[in-house]
Amino acid sequence: MSARGRRAAVIAVAFVLVLLAGRWTVACLSERWWAQTLSPAAAEFVTHWRLLGLALDCAAVLGASLWFALQAMLVARAIASVQVTRRLGDLQLREAVPTRFLMLGAVGTGVLLGLITGAGARAWRAPLLLAWQGATYGTTDPVLRADLGVYTTQLPLWTVAHHFAATLVAVGLGFTALLYVTIGALRRENGEVIVHADARRQLGGLLALLAAVISVGYLLSPYHLAASATIPLDAAAAIIRVRAAQVMAGVALGVAALSILWALRGRHALVAGAWITLALGAVIERAAIPVLTGESTTAQAEERSVRRFDAIAWGLHVVERGAGADTLAPVTALWDENLLALFADRSGGALLAATPTMVTIGGKPAPAWLVATPAAGDPTRMDVLAVADGVAAATGSPRLLVTDSGLGARPVRASLPDPRIRPDAPGWRPVIGGVAASGSLRRLALAWARQAPGMLRETHERAVDWHLDPVDRAAALLPMASWLPADLLMVANRPLWVVQGVLPLDEFPVSTRAHWRGELVAGVVPAFIATMDAANGEVHCYLDPGSDSLAAAWARIAGRLVEPAAALPVELRAALPYPVAWLDAQLEVLGDPVWAIGRLPTDVAAGPDRSVVVWTSVAQAGREAVFEDPDRRAVSALITAERDNGHPQVWLDRYEPSDSHAENGAELTRIWTRSTTALHLRDSTRAAGDSVEVGPVRWFLGSGPIAAWQSVVAVPAHGPPVLLWLGTALGDRTGGGRTPVDAWASVSATPAAAHTAGGPADSAVLLQARHWMRVADSALARGDLTAFGRAIEALRSALQSPH
C-alpha cells in the first residue's frame, strides 16, 4: 500500500471513530438533559448508568483486543521468517513476509476479534451493580445452605465473568492454533503430529489456562445445580453431586499441570491422555451421576419445599379460604378489555387503556372501568370515560357514569387537551417545559442523538420531549426492570399513567419454571411503580409494596430516584390493579402438579389473558382464573388475585363438584348458546347484519352452589356494543336474561333467593312465568307451534296479571 493509501485508510478509520464517539456523546448528553427535566436524581442515575455501560464496553473490547493481539504477536515473533507462495507465469516462487506486516496483521486481527467478543459488555451492568450492592433473604437453599441472595445477586456476575474468560481462552486457543497451522508450525507428517517448539509452548500455556477456567466452572457448578434444580434433592444426592463437581475441578487442575508439562517437554501422549480423561470425567459427572443419585425426596416434602420457594421466586402469597357468606358475587361483571376495545373502536378511536377501578357517585363507591381513547375527530385529545360495570344502559350498551370524583360532575366524557404522555404518542414532540432546543448546535445534537431530522427545525415552544409512551418512559429511567402495559387511574382529580415494573429471575433454587415474554424463567418478582402525569409528563418512581430483597437492592442502587413504598399516595395504593402478565405467569406455576390445584382449561391454557376481571367487593377489583380437575374437567379451584392496600394477595378457593353434574366453562357456554331465547336473539342480531361476541366465563363460590355467568354482546356496524344476553348458572341450574336482574332470577331456587338476586318480589308470578317459559321452549324444540303459541299467551297473561 502506498503512503497516500495508508493516509487515506488512517483518515477513514479516524473519521469512523469520531462518528462513533460523537454519536455516543450526544446520546448520553441528550438523555441527561431529558432526565434533568424530570428530577436531579433521574439525571444522576441515567448518566451513571450510561457511563458504566461505556466503561464496561471499553474495558471488555480493550482487554479482548490486547489478549488476541498478544497471541497473534507471539505467533509472529515465534517464526523467524514466514514465506508465501507467488506464481510468475509457470514459475512458483516463495517470498518472505516482512515482520512489520505480520505485526500489523496480528494487531489488526486481535482488534477485530476483540470487538467481536467484547462488544455488548454493557449488559453486565445489572450483575455488576447487584453483586456490589448485595441482598439477603434470610432463607437458604437446600443444597449448599447458601442465602438466596447469593443466587440473585452474586451468581449472575460469577457466571458472566466465567463465560467471558472461557470465551477469551477458547477463541484465543483456536485462533492461535489456526495461525500455526497456516504457517506450517503445526502440521501432520507421515501420520505424526509435528509441533514447533515455540508453538508448543504457547499452545500448552493456552491449554493450561483453558483447563483452569474449566476448573473454576466446576467450582461454580454446585451453585448452578442448586439454582437450576426444580425439585429438592435429598442430602445424600446433593452431597454426591457437589463432591463430583469438586473432584472434576481437581481433575481439571491436574490437566492444567500436565498441559504445562507438555509445553515444556513435548510428550504428546501425555497431554492427549489428560484431556481424554477430563472429557470422560465430564460425561460421567454430567450424565451418569445424576441418573445414579435419582430423586429420593418424598412427594410430600417435595411439594412443601417447591411451594415455599415458588412463593419467594414468584411472589405467590397464596391464602386458602372457604366459601363466602354471599350466594352471588357482589357485582355481576359484564365487560372486559376485549369488549371495551370494541366500545372504544365504535366511539371513534383505539383503546389506549382500560383499567378497573372505583369511582364515587353521590358519596358511594361504584365499580367502573376507566377507558382512555383518542377523541373522535381530534386525535390530539384524549377522552377518559367511566364505564359502569355490573349494569348496562337501557339500550344494553355500556353505561357511562357521571361522577363527582376524578372526572367531575359534568360532563360524562372528560377530555384532556393534547396530553403529553399516552401509549400511541409519537417518538418526540415540541413542548413547553421540556429539553431546551433554542440554539442551532443544541438542535443538531438532539437531532443526531434521537435520529430525528425534524428536531433541526426551530419551533414556537423552543423545547422538545421524548419517551412519551408511558412504558418507554419508565424503561428509560429504570432499564433493569421489565415494565408492564400502562394503566390509567384518577388520583387527586388528575389522570395518571401507572406502570408496574417486575424483575425476572433467570435462576432460583427449587422454583417452578414458567414462561415470561417468550422465555423460560425461574421467577418474577414485583419491583417498582412508576406514575406519570398524562398532561405534563411528571414522573415519580416508588418501590412496589410487594417488593422483596432484590427490588430493595435496586432501590438502594437507584438512590433518590426510587421513593419508598410508604410514599405511595393513599388513593393510588388503594387503586393499584393486579398486574395481568404477572398473574398469567403465576397461573402457569400454580398449574404444576405440586400445587395440587388442577389445570387451566384447555381453551385458555395457552394464554395470555388467562384471567378475567371480577369485583371482590363493590370498591375492589381483582382478577380471577379457574382451574379444572384434569380427569373430570370440572371446576376444582378458583384463583382470585388482588392488591390489599397495595400488597399482592392470591386467594385460593377449592371446590368439590357433586357427582350429579360436571360444570366447566366450555360446557356452560355450549348450554347457554343453545338455549332457545339466546338462539333467537343471535339469529335476530345476525339477520340485522351485526356480529356477536362472547365474553369470558366468570365464577363465584359462595355459601350456595357455585355461580357462573357470561356476557353475550351484539356488535353493530355502527354504534357501541350492546349486551344481548347474560347466561347464568347456579349449581346445576342454568338460565339467562337480558339484564343481570332477570338472568339471576331465572336460576334462583326459592323466592328468597330470587329476591336476593334482584328478581321479582312476587314468587307466584315468577314461578308461573318460569313454568310457561319451559313449556314454550319444549314446544318449540319439538316443532309444535300451536302449543308454543298457547304457552306464550299464557306467559303474557301471567306477566300482565294484577299481581
Side-chain angles (χ1 to χ4, degrees), residues 109-287:
T109 306
V111 170
L112 179 61
L113 287 176
L115 287 171
I116 295 174
T117 56
R122 65 178 68 90
W124 306 344
R125 286 176 292 197
L128 180 63
L129 290 174
L130 279 178
W132 169 72
Q133 181 62 53
T136 302
Y137 285 76
T139 303
T140 60
D141 75 280
V143 176
L144 300 179
R145 304 299 176 186
D147 189 89
L148 298 181
V150 172
Y151 300 96
T152 58
T153 61
Q154 307 296 326
L155 184 59
L157 180 62
W158 298 345
T159 303
V160 165
H162 179 258
H163 285 173
F164 185 61
T167 300
L168 289 182
V169 175
V171 175
L173 177 62
F175 173 56
T176 302
L178 179 62
L179 290 179
Y180 279 123
V181 170
T182 302
I183 64 178
L186 177 62
R187 62 188 184 277
R188 185 179 180 84
E189 291 183 358
N190 300 324
E192 183 180 357
V193 177
I194 306 299
V195 185
H196 190 277
D198 293 334
R200 189 181 69 245
R201 284 190 288 270
Q202 185 176 357
L203 293 175
L206 290 173
L207 285 172
L209 281 177
L210 180 60
V213 170
I214 293 174
S215 177
V216 173
Y218 276 114
L219 293 178
L220 294 177
S221 181
Y223 292 96
H224 290 294
L225 170 65
S228 60
T230 56
I231 60 170
L233 297 173
D234 65 2
I239 291 175
I240 292 175
R241 299 284 295 273
V242 171
R243 293 291 181 268
Q246 293 172 345
V247 168
M248 288 303 301
V251 172
L253 288 179
V255 172
L258 293 177
S259 298
I260 294 176
L261 185 62
W262 171 73
L264 297 176
R265 298 189 177 181
R267 298 177 60 183
H268 299 343
L270 185 66
V271 70
W275 281 94
I276 291 174
T277 301
L278 181 62
L280 290 176
V283 171
I284 294 174
E285 190 270 339
R286 295 291 179 182

Side-chain angles (χ1 to χ4, degrees), residues 226-455:
S228 60
T230 56
I231 60 170
L233 297 173
D234 65 2
I239 291 175
I240 292 175
R241 299 284 295 273
V242 171
R243 293 291 181 268
Q246 293 172 345
V247 168
M248 288 303 301
V251 172
L253 288 179
V255 172
L258 293 177
S259 298
I260 294 176
L261 185 62
W262 171 73
L264 297 176
R265 298 189 177 181
R267 298 177 60 183
H268 299 343
L270 185 66
V271 70
W275 281 94
I276 291 174
T277 301
L278 181 62
L280 290 176
V283 171
I284 294 174
E285 190 270 339
R286 295 291 179 182
I289 290 181
V291 174
L292 294 176
T293 54
E295 303 170 3
S296 56
T297 306
T298 63
Q300 186 176 6
E302 174 186 322
E303 290 177 0
R304 287 198 304 266
S305 183
V306 171
R307 292 177 187 177
R308 182 165 62 94
F309 284 97
D310 278 347
I312 301 174
W314 291 96
L316 269 172
H317 307 289
V318 179
V319 177
E320 191 162 350
R321 63 182 179 183
D326 297 329
T327 303
L328 300 177
V331 178
T332 303
L334 302 178
W335 313 108
D336 61 17
E337 291 88 341
N338 295 329
L339 297 178
L340 291 173
L342 294 172
F343 172 68
D345 179 67
R346 295 302 187 272
S347 300
L351 182 68
L352 300 180
T355 306
T357 186
M358 180 271 296
V359 296
T360 303
I361 301 178
K364 297 181 179 180
W369 290 79
L370 283 183
V371 178
T373 180
D378 187 2
T380 63
R381 303 176 69 89
M382 185 173 73
D383 287 341
V384 181
L385 303 87
V387 178
D389 208 354
V391 294
T395 60
S397 60
R399 178 180 173 186
L400 302 183
L401 294 178
V402 179
T403 74
D404 55 11
S405 173
L407 299 179
R410 304 185 59 166
V412 172
R413 187 187 301 265
S415 185
L416 301 178
D418 198 19
R420 184 181 298 188
I421 307 300
R422 52 194 284 180
D424 63 344
W428 69 276
R429 56 172 292 182
V431 296
I432 297 175
V435 179
S438 55
S440 300
L441 290 179
R442 183 77 166 233
R443 291 197 302 274
L444 177 61
L446 292 174
W448 188 10
R450 302 300 306 167
Q451 298 294 291
M455 286 187 176

Side-chain angles (χ1 to χ4, degrees), residues 106 400 430 461 479 492 501 505 513 526 547 574 576 584 589 612 623 628 638 653 671 676 700 717 724 733 769 783:
L400 302 183
E461 293 83 357
L505 305 176
R513 272 48 177 174
S547 59
L576 279 177
D584 287 343
V589 174
V612 63
R623 300 197 71 91
E628 294 179 352
L638 297 181
D653 299 320
I671 294 173
T676 304
F700 180 77
L724 186 67
R733 298 185 301 277

Side-chain angles (χ1 to χ4, degrees), residues 597-652:
I597 295 176
R599 68 180 181 190
L600 290 169
T602 55
D603 55 338
V604 299
D609 299 333
R610 298 166 175 168
S611 61
V612 63
V613 170
V614 294
W615 294 89
T616 57
S617 68
V618 175
Q620 179 70 47
R623 300 197 71 91
E624 176 192 80
V626 63
F627 281 80
E628 294 179 352
D629 185 327
D631 297 326
R632 299 183 55 195
R633 292 196 62 197
V635 173
S636 59
L638 297 181
I639 295 293
T640 307
E642 62 183 6
R643 281 189 180 266
D644 182 10
N645 195 27
H647 295 275
Q649 182 68 65
V650 177
W651 299 100
L652 169 61

Side-chain angles (χ1 to χ4, degrees), residues 433-529:
V435 179
S438 55
S440 300
L441 290 179
R442 183 77 166 233
R443 291 197 302 274
L444 177 61
L446 292 174
W448 188 10
R450 302 300 306 167
Q451 298 294 291
M455 286 187 176
L456 293 172
R457 295 190 299 269
E458 188 172 1
T459 61
H460 174 72
E461 293 83 357
R462 305 180 70 84
V464 294
D465 195 7
W466 56 91
H467 298 314
L468 304 177
D469 181 281
V471 177
D472 180 43
R473 204 171 187 85
L477 287 175
L478 295 170
M480 76 291 295
S482 178
W483 294 94
L484 307 179
D487 294 296
L488 183 68
L489 294 175
M490 302 299 292
V491 179
N493 296 337
R494 294 186 306 157
L496 289 183
W497 292 107
V498 179
V499 191
Q500 304 187 48
V502 298
L503 298 172
L505 305 176
D506 293 331
E507 291 183 311
F508 200 85
V510 198
S511 67
T512 304
R513 272 48 177 174
H515 290 88
W516 177 258
R517 296 188 169 176
E519 297 182 358
L520 201 63
V521 298
V524 175
V525 293
F528 308 114
I529 303 292

